[in-house]
């Protein structure tokens, strides 16, 4: 339950920082990457937590410790850094 609350609250904080929904990020990672524990640990399951990419439905029981839930992703970090550099 704590991870779900962190997921939703991170998304909502993204809105308060000015990030809109990012409906394009859920197609950015391919099936092979979404089944790879090292990849999903480093990059999450989508590049943006502002997408509605809810859970990693691609993962299979034999994939090991693959991430199942989105985290703050590379696109989010880039967007916040860009805004901090160019809009402040
Ligand atoms: Zn939202």
């Amino acid at each position: 339950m704590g991870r779900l609350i962190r997921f939703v609250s991170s998304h909502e904080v993204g809105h308060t920082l000015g990030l809109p929904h990012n409906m394009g990020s859920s197609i950015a990672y391919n099936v092979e990457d979404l089944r790879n524990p090292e990849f999903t640990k480093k990059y999450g399951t989508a590049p943006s937590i502002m997408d509605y990419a809810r859970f990693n439905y691609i993962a299979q029981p034999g994939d090991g410790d693959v991430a199942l839930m989105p985290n703050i992703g590379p696109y989010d970090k880039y967007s916040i850094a860009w805004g901090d550099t160019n809009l402040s």
Side-chain angles (χ1 to χ4, degrees):
M1 182 58 96
R3 291 174 63 194
L4 286 169
I5 292 171
R6 182 173 66 187
F7 160 53
V8 173
S9 61
S10 296
H11 176 99
E12 300 307 330
V13 168
H15 282 310
T16 66
L17 296 173
L19 300 180
H21 289 138
N22 180 342
M23 298 305 192
S25 88
S26 54
I27 63 166
Y29 296 161
N30 62 41
V31 170
E32 183 176 294
D33 291 337
L34 289 170
R35 295 186 65 185
N36 181 317
E38 290 79 24
F39 181 90
T40 58
K41 183 176 182 178
K42 184 173 183 180
Y43 298 108
T45 57
S48 176
I49 202 163
M50 301 310 293
D51 200 321
Y52 269 36
R54 292 300 186 209
F55 304 103
N56 186 355
Y57 296 109
I58 303 298
Q60 298 296 307
D63 292 346
D65 193 21
V66 68
L68 300 176
M69 295 177 54
N71 288 317
I72 296 169
Y75 181 87
D76 304 314
K77 293 174 183 175
Y78 178 84
S79 295
I80 295 301
W82 187 91
D84 187 45
T85 300
N86 295 293
L87 302 176
S88 58

